[in-house]
Amino acid sequence: MIAAVAKNRAIGYKNKLLYWLPNDLKRFKALTTGHTIVMGLNTYKSLPKGALPNRRNCVLTRSVKELPGCECFASWDAFISNCKPDEDIYIIGGASIYQQFIDKADRLCLTEIDDVPQEADAFFPDYSDWKVETKETHPKDEKHAFEYAFVDYVRG
């Protein structure tokens, strides 16, 4: 799973990301390019240009059969049966997809933002029982309004 989370685990508001952190976007691109990303329909709809380039884009949805540049699956089982055993899969959201499938994840690649937003309606599931594998902290600067850290977790 990959996400940017506030101190209260908030990840979005009105189907938009809460934070614009260029280094988070660069990390997301570096980690997911060349791999499979899986998302819910609302996350797909939130992408400004639709399917993300240079990735296998998969959408879990029962309501839509085709989306440009994507493969659509009605269930996790249908999706996973179309994956290779060694395929790197990144679950990219949204909140309900994270909640439903956190038990399937073997690692969390999170950007933890030192902030609690005024408004949020989407939250990442509790991961307090996961163990920090690596952590890289960054101060706020002219392009980043908040301190943040890239934190990779494995099951505790």
Side-chain angles (χ1 to χ4, degrees):
M1 296 192 151
I2 188 165
V5 300
K7 287 171 90 168
N8 62 347
R9 299 189 338 268
I11 57 172
Y13 183 64
K14 294 186 176 178
N15 210 35
K16 295 200 181 332
L17 294 175
L18 295 173
Y19 302 98
W20 184 260
L21 301 170
N23 287 345
D24 172 57
L25 299 173
K26 286 179 194 165
R27 180 177 193 244
F28 178 90
K29 184 177 181 180
L31 289 173
T32 62
T33 294
H35 300 294
T36 298
I37 56 173
V38 62
M39 67 197 97
L41 184 59
N42 285 340
T43 296
Y44 170 80
K45 288 177 178 177
S46 76
L47 299 174
K49 297 177 184 171
L52 297 176
N54 306 312
R55 281 152 254 196
R56 178 183 176 210
N57 286 251
C58 299
V59 178
L60 297 178
T61 174
R62 288 189 183 92
S63 62
V64 177
K65 301 292 182 239
E66 283 188 43
L67 294 168
C70 296
E71 298 170 56
C72 295
F73 298 95
S75 69
W76 177 266
D77 290 339
F79 160 69
I80 213 70
S81 70
N82 280 276
C83 294
K84 297 177 189 121
D86 62 344
E87 198 165 338
D88 269 342
I89 300 165
Y90 288 88
I91 298 173
I92 69 166
S96 68
I97 296 293
Y98 289 134
Q99 188 66 50
Q100 288 176 66
F101 303 114
I102 192 164
D103 62 324
K104 309 244 187 248
D106 57 7
R107 70 183 183 268
L108 307 177
C109 302
L110 302 182
T111 300
E112 295 181 336
I113 298 128
D114 188 20
D115 182 56
V116 175
Q118 293 282 327
E119 296 181 299
D121 58 12
F123 295 84
F124 196 81
D126 179 44
Y127 57 96
S128 58
D129 57 341
W130 288 65
K131 182 176 79 176
V132 173
E133 185 178 52
T134 62
K135 183 173 185 173
E136 179 185 309
T137 59
H138 299 272
K140 56 182 167 177
D141 60 28
E142 64 280 350
K143 292 183 179 179
H144 301 84
F146 304 96
E147 289 182 29
Y148 61 97
F150 297 143
V151 189
D152 291 344
Y153 290 88
V154 293
R155 290 201 175 276

